[in-house]
Amino acid sequence: MNHMKFQGLHNNFKAIVIGGSAGSFQGITKILSQIPGDFPLPVIMCLHRLKHVRNGFIEALSIKSIKDVIEPYDKEPIKRGKVYLAPANYHLSIELGHYFSLSTEEMVNNSRPSIDITMETASYVYKNKLIGILLSGANKDGALGMKRIKDSGGFTVVQDLADCMIDTMPAAALEITKIDHTLTVDNIIKLFFEIHNLYK
Amino acid sequence: MQEIHIVDIRKLTEIIKTKYGYDFTNYAISSFKRRILRILELYKFSGVDALAKKITDDPVFFEEFISEITVNVTEMFRDPSFWRILRDKILPNILLNHKRVSIWHAGCSSGEEVYSIAILLKEMGILEDSKIIATDIDDRILERARSGVYTVKNMELNEKNYVRFRGENELNKYFEVKNGLAYMDKSLVKDVSYRKHDLVNGIVFNKFDIVLCRNVMIYFNQNLQNDVLKKLHESIFKYGYLAIGSKESLIWCEIANKFIVVNNEEKIYKKIKE
Ligand SMILES: C[S@@+](CC[C@H](N)C(=O)[O-])C[C@H]1O[C@@H](n2cnc3c(N)ncnc32)[C@H](O)[C@@H]1O
């Protein structure tokens, strides 16, 4: 495996949030199939999905994933090295005591779960110790969340527009804030490897 | 989105507590903060201080505030599989020993859940033998619940849920569309008692066979969840049932050992200890 260096990366991060929408499923499953079993950070995913289909999605994501994908319950503590997915039809927030809260508030950017909400609350809790990754998608959800992460000194990555099935979402983030890295899915996987290395 | 500080939120909840007796101190901070921000935007307040002043000076506005601070999003037959289990397993079980069933909807919002249960009971032929009480902290939403009028757009979703619930009829047997609004058949809820009740500071007022408190405690922090659960526990007959939202859990609650899990997918619990 060839190493890649990422400007601004260190081993003091506490969590990773990933946002994705239309066209992100393949990328996500590819990333999950590569995240090592002993990857140290919690990975919190907020993906747009069918609102009224409670089951199926998590199974589909889990098939190739090395780690189990967990749909957290309300007030579930966030643990190191676990992979979490926002449940269908609930917004997923991170609270100061490092646990999740769910809510059925109005949709944000036509979405519930909303990536902005997950990213903004994560950024409030983890400040500059947060990595935000925004993948393919057809709307603007996540752009404000990425800006919040960047403004709080976190580490930001969007999927390379040419690598996206639909690039509206990462493009929206690039438009309103300076993003640290624009990476293909394959290079996002290398980023995970590099983090894994740094924490050894 | 602007940021507001927790100290300012604390000041606000103190004022509300002193002046009106409602205690929002232990609401989950992430969603509570978003609700405050939303109100600041909606009413164009310059900040939390201005909002606090308005609340202090204007009790009528405070009612509006309660209505805006609470999250009222709801559906009929939300999680259709939950309602199926209620019909096929839980209620038949209760009816083995009782002729009448008493049900409390704690946090009934605009009443969709009440119509769901009324339709379900009617199709089981036991609506007349049931006692339903529906409560919420929000007076305005209770008014909506009593009126039984919903938007056609929401009814579309409700109809989809009803189909997946596998009801006996078509949902539209239970409502009439006039002027673009859906008017529910009110005979379904003629015996339902809608009341204002605060789960946080309110008293335990009765005992029930089933308490539904779904997607209400997600707005509370862990401490408050514990306190409210104690009250819910007291409000259930021994061997009665508690239903919470499908993404809520009792695992982290002190009182969990007084319940057993009847259905983990649908989060239905049975009280086994006083
Ligand atoms: C999201 S709704 C839940 C509606 C319905 N049970 C469902 O699951 O679809 C939450 C409701 O809880 C009510 N609520 C919030 N705090 C409360 C309190 N302290 N006491 C009683 N009801 C409360 C709100 O007014 C709101 O109507």
Side-chain angles (χ1 to χ4, degrees):
Chain A
M1 170 203 9
N2 53 335
H3 280 288
M4 228 173 120
K5 285 279 166 241
F6 297 91
Q7 179 83 38
L9 201 62
H10 53 71
N11 64 359
N12 212 359
F13 291 107
K14 292 273 185 276
I16 300 178
V17 219
I18 303 180
S21 188
S24 68
F25 187 78
Q26 266 190 343
I28 281 283
T29 41
K30 196 163 176 192
I31 294 169
L32 289 177
S33 72
Q34 301 285 323
I35 298 182
D38 60 347
F39 188 80
L41 301 179
V43 177
I44 302 162
M45 303 187 292
C46 183
L47 309 176
H48 294 161
R49 50 193 285 198
L50 287 175
K51 246 174 74 183
H52 287 86
V53 182
R54 225 165 63 186
N55 303 314
F57 192 71
I58 196 150
E59 287 78 2
L61 277 181
S62 296
I63 291 175
K64 292 197 183 139
S65 175
I66 296 176
K67 291 175 182 265
D68 286 335
V69 179
I70 303 167
E71 264 188 5
Y73 287 114
D74 178 58
K75 307 293 159 346
E76 180 157 340
I78 300 170
K79 299 212 176 111
R80 306 184 74 236
K82 300 278 182 201
V83 176
Y84 299 99
L85 172 72
N89 215 2
Y90 287 92
H91 293 303
L92 179 70
S93 301
I94 287 88
E95 303 276 355
L96 281 172
H98 295 189
Y99 56 88
F100 293 109
S101 269
L102 300 177
S103 124
T104 58
E105 283 157 86
E106 296 78 4
M107 294 202 258
V108 174
N109 307 312
N110 257 313
S111 313
R112 187 171 54 223
S114 148
I115 302 167
D116 276 344
I117 286 190
T118 303
M119 287 189 165
E120 280 171 354
T121 52
S123 168
Y124 181 73
V125 171
Y126 294 111
K127 309 264 179 324
N128 59 349
K129 302 203 166 67
L130 180 67
I131 297 175
I133 302 176
L134 194 62
L135 303 175
S136 169
N139 68 7
K140 298 189 169 185
D141 195 22
L144 284 171
M146 291 293 281
K147 176 167 164 47
R148 184 63 75 87
I149 296 173
K150 180 71 196 167
D151 291 348
S152 311
F155 184 94
T156 49
V157 176
V158 298
Q159 187 174 355
D160 191 327
L161 301 190
D163 192 49
C164 287
M165 231 136 70
I166 304 170
D167 66 9
T168 317
M169 213 158 78
L174 285 166
E175 205 161 285
I176 62 166
T177 187
K178 197 182 155 327
I179 296 290
D180 298 311
H181 298 274
T182 302
L183 303 174
T184 61
V185 163
D186 288 336
N187 284 338
I188 291 173
I189 291 168
K190 288 187 183 151
L191 173 70
F192 274 88
F193 288 153
E194 197 54 33
I195 297 167
H196 184 234
N197 261 333
L198 282 171
Y199 278 74
K200 263 185 189 152
Chain B
M1 205 160 101
Q2 65 187 114
E3 189 51 82
I4 43 180
H5 296 289
I6 294 188
V7 278
D8 291 328
I9 295 183
R10 289 282 161 268
K11 266 192 253 163
L12 186 70
T13 53
E14 272 312 304
I15 290 171
I16 294 172
K17 195 156 76 179
T18 318
K19 172 134 186 161
Y20 296 101
Y22 291 107
D23 192 352
F24 292 103
T25 319
N26 287 311
Y27 273 53
I29 200 78
S30 61
S31 52
F32 194 71
K33 193 164 84 178
R34 278 196 299 274
R35 292 322 264 176
I36 299 277
L37 278 166
R38 191 172 151 275
I39 290 172
L40 295 184
E41 221 163 84
L42 215 59
Y43 295 88
K44 311 255 176 293
F45 285 113
S46 57
V48 182
D49 285 347
L51 170 64
K53 181 160 185 338
K54 180 77 175 166
I55 285 176
T56 315
D57 297 346
D58 187 348
V60 177
F61 173 78
F62 179 69
E63 240 187 67
E64 228 169 296
F65 170 84
I66 289 283
S67 169
E68 294 299 342
I69 202 83
T70 51
V71 174
N72 302 125
V73 177
T74 182
E75 297 164 17
M76 286 183 200
F77 298 99
R78 178 175 186 147
D79 305 315
S81 45
F82 163 78
W83 297 93
R84 274 202 309 265
I85 301 276
L86 203 59
R87 175 189 60 197
D88 300 340
K89 299 260 163 68
I90 307 299
L91 281 161
N93 220 315
I94 295 174
L95 290 169
L96 285 179
N97 311 310
H98 301 256
K99 233 187 123 326
R100 295 176 57 82
V101 182
S102 58
I103 300 168
W104 176 24
H105 290 272
C108 66
S109 191
S110 39
E112 279 86 339
E113 221 175 46
V114 182
Y115 275 102
S116 313
I117 197 87
I119 289 169
L120 183 157
L121 294 168
K122 173 136 191 152
E123 293 182 358
M124 287 180 79
I126 54 170
L127 181 57
E128 305 298 321
D129 297 317
S130 311
K131 174 86 202 120
I132 302 172
I133 296 188
T135 63
D136 203 284
I137 192 179
D138 175 357
D139 259 330
R140 297 193 177 199
I141 210 71
L142 276 172
E143 263 323 301
R144 287 250 299 281
R146 285 192 194 97
S147 79
V149 183
Y150 302 109
T151 65
V152 169
K153 182 164 171 275
N154 284 355
M155 277 330 271
E156 284 168 14
L157 174 59
N158 297 338
E159 286 188 285
K160 277 190 199 145
N161 287 346
Y162 178 78
V163 169
R164 290 174 52 213
F165 159 69
R166 295 186 215 122
E168 264 177 19
N169 302 294
E170 308 264 319
L171 190 60
N172 65 21
K173 181 175 171 224
Y174 302 106
F175 67 89
E176 235 180 26
V177 176
K178 277 183 285 188
N179 308 321
L181 288 170
Y183 291 75
M184 295 303 296
D185 173 359
K186 285 225 184 153
S187 71
L188 286 166
V189 296
K190 64 181 192 315
D191 295 324
V192 173
S193 156
Y194 293 95
R195 296 182 203 165
K196 177 163 173 160
H197 177 264
D198 172 14
L199 283 165
V200 178
N201 279 340
I203 54 160
V204 173
F205 60 91
N206 216 332
K207 271 196 194 300
F208 300 87
D209 297 312
I210 307 177
V211 172
L212 288 92
C213 189
R214 307 173 71 222
N215 302 305
V216 178
M217 287 186 286
I218 52 178
Y219 299 101
F220 304 163
N221 73 16
Q222 188 93 67
N223 288 336
L224 185 54
Q225 287 188 352
N226 274 322
D227 292 348
V228 170
L229 256 169
K230 277 182 201 140
K231 291 188 190 183
L232 296 183
H233 172 264
E234 265 185 70
S235 309
I236 301 172
F237 287 121
K238 194 168 178 192
Y239 305 123
Y241 295 86
L242 170 68
I244 56 179
S246 63
K247 294 307 296 177
E248 299 177 69
S249 174
L250 293 189
I251 304 178
W252 302 287
C253 293
E254 293 157 3
I255 207 163
N257 67 337
K258 298 191 173 175
F259 290 94
I260 52 165
V261 181
V262 177
N263 188 302
N264 196 41
E265 269 290 288
E266 308 302 340
K267 290 293 172 278
I268 304 173
Y269 297 85
K270 186 181 206 148
K271 169 169 165 177
I272 50 157
K273 275 188 226 158
E274 286 297 344

